[in-house]
Amino acid sequence: MAGGEKFHGVWSYSPSVPAAVIFIILFTSSTGFHFFQIIKKRSLFFIPFIVGGCFEVGGYITRILAHKDTNSQLIYIMQIILLLVAPGLYAASIYMTLGRIILHMNAVHISPIKRTLMTKIFVFGDVVSFFVQLGGASLMSEQKTQSTGKAIVLTGLAVQVAFFLVFLCTLILIHKRLTENPTAASATAAWTKHFYALYFASLLISIRSIFRVAEFAGGHEGTLMTHEIYLYIFDAVLMFGVSICFNVVHPGDIIGRKGIGYEEPVMPLT
């Protein structure tokens, strides 16, 4: 992978085609399997996760296009947008998963945040982060607004990290309470592995978001932005890890329409 001081059009390096192809294949495979899983397990709440996977694929496709045209501002901005907002779509499904697990375990009473509000609060934060990053990235297409755009992207990433930290605290507290005071439903369901999957995915997304904050804070000539390897280590690999994590431990196994012990809920899932 290229990296260093030489600039290639609007890029600080010439984007690697082999690296992009590898991750296009990986994300396409994992996302395709997710599509099969949500149909089989009837887990439609996981659709945003699939959209996020499609954004990842699109992001690396645009990096291949950028290799052929490093002067295209449009291609440069498109890959930034797609790879920036994809984890937010992953996060939306993660937030909804916790709310559904709580309901399935009949553990609404142990949540520190009212269950009907919890998903809405975290998804709201996710949506705010999504559009702030989107707006910031679009401003980066013009030289005169590039600095403003980067500052806005940093704000969006900071919002994402903040909400994720609150989510992690909520997740830990619910896990602790459910372990200490199990419900009848939790005694017969293999729910623990799903909490660990949420921990793992949340940690990876948090590390990736912190990396992105450092990357944009360092500027266009900073080490993180001028060496492509860091993008693949701290973004591509981590987000693929999130995708594979839920291929292996899919929430539809316990809370989908085909989940173990599934019963038609008496209230709408939100």
Side-chain angles (χ1 to χ4, degrees):
M1 298 179 191
E5 298 179 354
K6 185 178 179 180
F7 281 75
H8 300 259
V10 297
W11 293 77
S12 302
Y13 50 77
S14 178
S16 170
V17 172
V21 168
I22 288 171
F23 280 93
I24 288 171
I25 293 171
L26 292 176
F27 277 110
T28 298
S29 300
S30 179
T31 302
F33 189 47
H34 273 296
F35 184 75
F36 167 76
Q37 287 178 300
I38 69 163
I39 293 175
K40 182 181 179 181
K41 303 174 191 297
R42 301 183 188 178
S43 307
L44 297 183
F45 67 92
F46 229 59
I47 287 177
F49 199 96
I50 291 179
V51 176
C54 292
F55 275 31
E56 292 283 358
V57 173
Y60 293 105
I61 289 175
T62 56
R63 291 182 72 85
I64 291 177
L65 297 177
H67 179 82
K68 302 177 184 298
D69 185 4
T70 55
N71 290 306
S72 174
Q73 192 80 22
L74 176 61
I75 294 175
Y76 178 72
I77 296 302
M78 282 301 298
Q79 65 87 28
I80 287 180
I81 290 174
L82 290 169
L83 297 181
L84 270 182
V85 303
L89 292 163
Y90 283 173
S93 287
I94 289 173
Y95 296 148
M96 289 187 280
T97 295
L98 179 59
R100 282 161 170 76
I101 289 177
I102 292 172
L103 181 62
H104 185 78
M105 294 295 103
N106 293 325
V108 175
H109 60 287
I110 69 171
S111 175
I113 304 173
K114 190 175 180 182
R115 191 200 66 82
T116 53
L117 291 177
M118 183 173 64
T119 301
K120 292 182 177 69
I121 290 172
F122 289 123
V123 171
F124 172 76
D126 202 44
V127 170
V128 170
S129 170
F130 181 98
F131 282 106
V132 170
Q133 291 179 68
L134 191 65
S138 64
L139 287 176
M140 290 174 63
S141 62
E142 296 291 337
Q143 186 67 37
K144 61 181 180 181
T145 58
Q146 196 170 78
S147 296
T148 302
K150 286 183 179 179
I152 293 174
V153 168
L154 277 169
T155 300
L157 288 167
V159 169
Q160 187 177 66
V161 171
F163 271 88
F164 240 101
L165 289 176
V166 175
F167 173 76
L168 276 171
C169 291
T170 303
L171 180 63
I172 292 169
L173 185 56
I174 291 173
H175 189 183
K176 181 175 182 293
R177 289 178 177 178
L178 192 56
T179 301
E180 294 174 348
N181 300 285
T183 63
S186 68
T188 59
W191 59 272
T192 307
K193 66 179 181 180
H194 294 280
F195 268 79
Y196 287 125
L198 291 175
Y199 285 134
F200 180 71
S202 298
L203 178 62
L204 293 188
I205 293 178
S206 296
I207 293 172
R208 173 265 173 196
S209 296
I210 292 171
F211 157 71
R212 282 296 199 169
V213 168
E215 180 189 36
F216 279 89
H220 199 62
E221 296 183 23
T223 299
L224 296 180
M225 200 169 281
T226 55
H227 292 78
E228 188 177 27
I229 185 67
Y230 294 117
L231 172 78
Y232 282 95
I233 293 174
F234 294 107
D235 195 316
V237 171
L238 299 188
M239 291 306 95
F240 180 64
V242 172
S243 190
I244 285 294
C245 172
F246 289 112
N247 282 140
V248 176
V249 185
H250 197 279
D253 291 335
I254 188 173
I255 55 178
R257 293 287 293 244
K258 292 290 186 179
I260 298 171
Y262 174 85
E263 294 181 1
E264 192 69 32
V266 295
M267 63 182 76
L269 296 177
T270 57

